Amino acid sequence: MQKVLFFDYRELEVVRGFTRRLQHPAKCRANPLLVADRPWEHGNLQLYGSVVKVPHGPFQLWYSTVQAPWCIRLGYAESEDGLTWERPRLDLYREGGRRTNLVLTQDVHGAAVILDQADPDPAGRYKLVAGAAPSGCVKLFRSPDGRAWRELTRDPQIPFRPDSPMAFLRTADGRYATHHRVARWSRRICRSESFDLRHWSEPRMVLEPGPVDPPQVQFYGMGAAPYGPYEIGTLWIFHTDEEEMGGGHMKGYQDAELTYSRNGFAWHRLEPGTPFLPHGRGGAWDRGNLQCASQPVFLADEIRYYYMGTDMRHQRHWELEPQTSGLGMARLKPDRFLALEAGRGPAELMTVAFTPEGGQVFVNAAIAKGGWVKAELLDDQGGPLRGYRETDGAPVTGDSVAHRLRWRKAETAPTGQRVRVRLRARQAKVYSLYLAPPGEEMVYHRFKGIA
């Protein structure tokens, strides 16, 4: 599948009349889905952790909780639908003689988990990164089921203390990558990579506050996941209190901005200063802090962003204070991260020239009453292609992630020649444009760009 998203305009030649608008996941009405109310959770639940959906199996959740005076422990929960969660009583760690759902207790800071289905060894398909005692530096753990974890080696793999929520992902070429922080660079996002999990690259800073960010904006951490040729991220923005002077700011609140990268190292914020997933307002249960899981969950018809919310703002040792802390979830339709929005006057875009791999042509768009989207194919020089003119096809209307574009004498895109796609729209939000070759299974988060 070939696809054009509108994170930037690299694959577009012309954009006229559209307004870029960041879209926002819709928070689930059933939130909070899970509340930290077990004795060994001490009233706090942090999403220094992950949510994974097992193919043909359950949702799995790993979350952090803090035991005084200071020890981060990793809890585990499961769900059949991702809404109703159960904390299994395991024999791995007991507290007061009682079984708990704790799966790691060695002060695991910033834990992130992946289910690595490309690993031929079933004993290690679950992989976890975290800063862990005694050094606090980044270590790797392996597990056959996400419950019983074993260290990859006794010594840390990355000789830095992360002091942050971490990302963990595997790229299309087989690299493992993690995001973490390096103390000397304060709250900025660094990245390390490895092909074998044992030997990791020197951390490189990949994202820091920009020249227009106020002094009160810091980058607490960033989750990430592959999305076609991109990586998309949720950047934890820490808004510190202005009256707190000096270094080591601790007072404030967190929300999440949307980021993306084409290579894992050059990262961009889609709309700096605007939260993609904001913390709650007024008396909301998540009015204090909002922390996204290490990566979203891609289901067949929606993207789920799981997050931690609390009614307490960030402050020194805030995790140990009495609070309401729980798990939330927000939904987004496929590709609907950012819209090109057309008003009453027609708007137009044209792609760069590319070679289609054939197949049907689709547009993901929400079209208001009285609105429309029309399309035509052009040749390399921008001239109309016979049979693919706008007048040869019918406009599409309504709201669909898969509006099929048709022309009277052509059901599919031509092959073997370079073309451009021109879209015109009125009273519509356009999210993506894509081509699906015959017989190919369409998975919205697995695609190639056109350029």
Side-chain angles (χ1 to χ4, degrees):
M1 180 163 56
Q2 297 169 286
K3 184 182 291 188
V4 181
L5 295 175
F6 307 119
F7 291 157
D8 56 36
Y9 292 157
R10 181 183 294 190
E11 295 170 319
L12 300 182
E13 199 86 72
V14 173
V15 181
R16 298 192 187 100
F18 283 105
T19 301
R20 288 171 57 89
R21 294 199 189 279
L22 180 70
Q23 305 299 289
H24 304 277
K27 291 183 179 180
C28 179
R29 293 182 180 180
N31 291 340
L33 307 176
L34 181 76
V35 175
D37 57 6
R38 299 297 190 265
W40 52 88
E41 293 170 335
H42 307 291
N44 64 73
L45 183 158
Q46 314 301 322
L47 251 181
Y48 288 34
S50 305
V51 179
V52 165
K53 174 64 173 71
V54 180
H56 311 295
F59 291 79
Q60 296 176 292
L61 162 68
W62 297 266
Y63 64 94
S64 300
T65 185
V66 183
Q67 180 186 34
W70 189 267
C71 180
I72 301 177
R73 306 187 296 180
L74 195 68
Y76 173 79
E78 288 185 354
S79 173
E80 291 302 316
D81 60 3
L83 301 176
T84 302
W85 292 87
E86 300 291 336
R87 283 165 279 204
R89 296 293 186 95
L90 308 173
D91 278 322
L92 296 170
Y93 299 96
R94 290 176 175 257
E95 185 159 306
R98 293 172 297 185
R99 294 186 300 167
T100 71
N101 68 320
L102 298 175
V103 293
L104 279 175
T105 60
Q106 58 193 87
D107 200 15
V108 283
H109 202 136
V113 177
I114 60 171
L115 174 55
D116 184 10
Q117 298 185 78
D119 191 331
D121 181 5
R125 288 190 178 151
Y126 288 86
K127 297 177 174 65
L128 179 151
V129 292
S135 69
C137 295
V138 178
K139 298 186 75 168
L140 273 290
F141 298 79
R142 302 167 73 243
S143 171
D145 56 8
R147 297 182 175 192
W149 293 94
R150 297 185 63 181
E151 298 175 349
L152 181 65
T153 64
R154 185 174 181 179
D155 297 324
Q157 279 70 48
I158 303 176
F160 294 94
R161 297 171 59 92
D163 190 34
S164 67
M166 297 176 70
F168 192 21
L169 64 146
R170 194 168 191 186
T171 64
D173 65 0
R175 286 173 294 153
Y176 296 94
T178 183
H179 295 153
H180 55 97
R181 294 205 312 243
V182 175
R184 66 175 178 266
W185 289 331
S186 186
R187 290 180 176 133
R188 290 165 171 80
I189 309 302
C190 297
R191 182 183 179 101
S192 296
E193 294 188 339
S194 172
F195 277 101
D196 63 3
L197 296 175
R198 296 173 183 269
H199 305 91
W200 290 77
S201 64
E202 187 79 10
R204 288 175 56 183
M205 188 189 302
V206 296
L207 193 59
E208 65 176 337
V212 300
D213 287 310
Q216 288 72 43
V217 165
Q218 299 184 4
F219 292 173
Y220 209 88
M222 184 172 70
Y227 197 83
Y230 300 94
E231 291 178 19
I232 56 173
T234 43
L235 177 65
W236 291 22
I237 302 292
F238 184 30
H239 304 270
T240 65
D241 289 350
E242 187 173 343
E243 63 271 14
E244 185 182 15
M245 303 294 179
H249 294 271
M250 294 298 292
K251 295 181 179 180
Y253 70 92
Q254 297 161 340
D255 55 26
E257 287 189 13
L258 186 62
T259 58
Y260 78 97
S261 174
R262 293 176 185 268
N263 61 11
F265 289 95
W267 282 85
H268 308 276
R269 298 152 69 189
L270 259 75
E271 193 165 329
T274 301
F276 174 61
L277 196 54
H279 74 150
R281 297 290 189 265
W285 69 279
D286 57 357
R287 64 185 179 274
N289 266 326
L290 186 146
Q291 304 172 341
C292 280
S294 63
Q295 56 183 240
V297 176
F298 301 120
L299 301 182
D301 57 354
E302 69 179 13
I303 302 169
R304 290 189 180 181
Y305 284 90
Y306 286 90
Y307 66 93
M308 182 281 292
T310 179
D311 61 356
M312 178 175 287
R313 287 161 59 89
H314 192 287
Q315 60 190 26
R316 191 167 299 279
H317 298 309
W318 65 280
E319 296 96 333
L320 302 178
E321 300 294 327
Q323 59 186 287
T324 298
S325 181
L327 176 73
M329 184 269 286
R331 294 181 168 97
L332 190 74
K333 288 185 178 182
D335 293 352
R336 295 194 174 188
F337 306 103
L338 183 136
L340 293 186
E341 187 171 335
R344 294 184 179 278
E348 177 185 346
L349 67 83
M350 182 175 65
T351 70
V352 298
F354 68 101
T355 303
E357 296 176 350
Q360 301 168 349
V361 186
F362 298 88
V363 62
N364 182 336
I367 305 166
K369 185 177 180 179
W372 43 259
V373 171
K374 302 176 182 178
E376 64 182 350
L377 302 187
L378 312 174
D379 63 23
D380 193 359
Q381 303 302 312
L385 274 183
R386 184 176 181 181
Y388 291 95
R389 294 181 176 87
E390 183 180 295
T391 53
D392 293 324
V396 294
T397 59
D399 186 346
S400 174
V401 298
H403 291 288
R404 185 174 171 190
L405 301 175
R406 293 181 173 90
W407 295 268
R408 279 193 293 271
K409 296 183 179 180
E411 290 285 313
T412 61
T415 57
Q417 65 181 110
R418 289 169 62 80
V419 304
R420 302 172 184 268
V421 181
R422 177 157 60 196
L423 285 183
R424 293 199 311 125
R426 177 179 176 181
Q427 292 184 268
K429 294 180 180 180
V430 181
Y431 304 99
S432 65
L433 170 72
Y434 56 100
L435 294 83
E440 180 180 299
E441 180 186 7
M442 289 200 300
V443 180
Y444 64 85
H445 52 91
R446 298 174 187 159
F447 62 92
K448 297 182 289 186
I450 63 169

